[in-house]
Amino acid sequence: MSQISWLGPQDPFPNPLIEADPDPSVPGLIAVSERIYPGQLARAYQQGIFPWYSDNQPILWWSPDPRMVLKPNEFKCSESLRKIIRSFTQNSPSQIVVDDDFGAVIRSCATSTRKNQDGTWITHEIMDAYTALHEQGYAHSIAVREDGQLTGGLYCVNFGGMVFGESMFSRKANASKIALAALSAWCLQLGVSMIDCQQETSHLLSLGATPIPRQAFLEQLQTSINQTNIDKSWTFDKSILHHWI
């Protein structure tokens, strides 16, 4: 049995297609590092690897099998959600704001209380690392604002034609669903075929996400990150939601 790699600043990640699950007792754990080194997060995503750990742990890098994904054309927009979206689009002070509130969105995701979850994996180091990706144009936020107040949103990572969903939050019922509906509609418009959701949850299942084999995900990833038709400006607003109504 091989050992889980302990990575230094310049060490490459193991190939999850070849060196998957080096320790079968911790399936999906591909590598460990002392911290998130400069450039490491971008390299990880392009290999289908992401960090997920707690404050008292080293950086744990994962490539789970199966992988939870949402195909934008399979987003489940229920009739009740359509009514909420219709009301949102008709309310003049309501807004979808892309990338103007990245810091506020990631902090809100970090501090949101979640059912059956004690604490957060979005540590200060995680926030710093994803903010750096945002400044490089690879991480994005979608904020839902109603009457000037931030009521929900999400942040994600984008390389080529692959979007990696990271975390959502709601301060008002269904606000994060509105953000995900906006992202899904934008992905459909641009030809993005898959949103990575990483791990299975009942909430994601209810919105149309489904688990697929790791190998299928990694093969699709290699095709998608070479797409060049993605609008790097990430400019859209609430009018994108008309796709669902």
Side-chain angles (χ1 to χ4, degrees), residues 81-82 84-100 141-148 151 175 177-186 189 234-245:
L81 181 55
R82 289 180 196 276
I84 291 166
I85 290 173
R86 188 176 296 112
S87 175
F88 180 85
T89 58
Q90 293 172 351
N91 181 15
S92 295
S94 298
Q95 296 176 291
I96 293 290
V97 182
V98 180
D99 278 350
D100 285 351
S141 65
I142 300 174
V144 177
R145 288 192 170 276
E146 299 183 61
D147 298 317
T151 60
K177 291 182 182 179
I178 292 173
L180 184 58
L183 176 61
S184 297
W186 183 81
Q189 182 174 292
W234 276 67
T235 51
F236 60 92
D237 56 29
K238 70 179 182 180
S239 64
I240 198 82
L241 290 166
H242 286 289
H243 175 86
W244 304 111
I245 55 178

Side-chain angles (χ1 to χ4, degrees), residues 59-209:
I59 314 301
L60 306 178
W61 299 94
W62 301 85
S63 179
D65 188 13
R67 188 77 168 228
M68 195 71 168
V69 301
L70 172 63
K71 297 178 180 178
N73 63 342
E74 295 179 0
F75 175 74
K76 289 183 180 178
C77 191
S78 64
E79 186 56 39
S80 61
L81 181 55
R82 289 180 196 276
K83 291 179 181 177
I84 291 166
I85 290 173
R86 188 176 296 112
S87 175
F88 180 85
T89 58
Q90 293 172 351
N91 181 15
S92 295
S94 298
Q95 296 176 291
I96 293 290
V97 182
V98 180
D99 278 350
D100 285 351
D101 293 308
F102 188 85
V105 169
I106 195 170
R107 286 192 300 272
S108 297
C109 289
T111 56
S112 291
T113 302
R114 305 178 193 277
K115 186 178 180 181
N116 300 322
Q117 182 174 322
D118 182 20
T120 179
W121 67 274
I122 306 173
T123 64
H124 289 292
E125 185 169 22
I126 284 285
M127 286 191 277
D128 289 345
Y130 283 89
T131 298
L133 272 191
H134 171 64
E135 292 168 352
Q136 295 162 25
Y138 295 119
H140 303 277
S141 65
I142 300 174
V144 177
R145 288 192 170 276
E146 299 183 61
D147 298 317
Q149 300 298 311
L150 180 61
T151 60
L154 62 83
Y155 72 98
C156 58
V157 172
N158 168 225
F159 285 97
M162 178 64 77
V163 172
F164 306 83
E166 282 303 311
S167 186
M168 302 186 291
F169 80 97
S170 289
R171 292 176 182 160
K172 181 179 178 181
N174 298 301
S176 64
K177 291 182 182 179
I178 292 173
L180 184 58
L183 176 61
S184 297
W186 183 81
C187 286
L188 282 169
Q189 182 174 292
L190 270 291
V192 173
S193 60
M194 184 182 294
I195 301 171
D196 174 33
C197 301
Q198 298 177 348
Q199 302 186 70
E200 183 174 332
T201 68
S202 58
H203 180 63
L204 289 169
L205 283 168
S206 73
L207 294 171

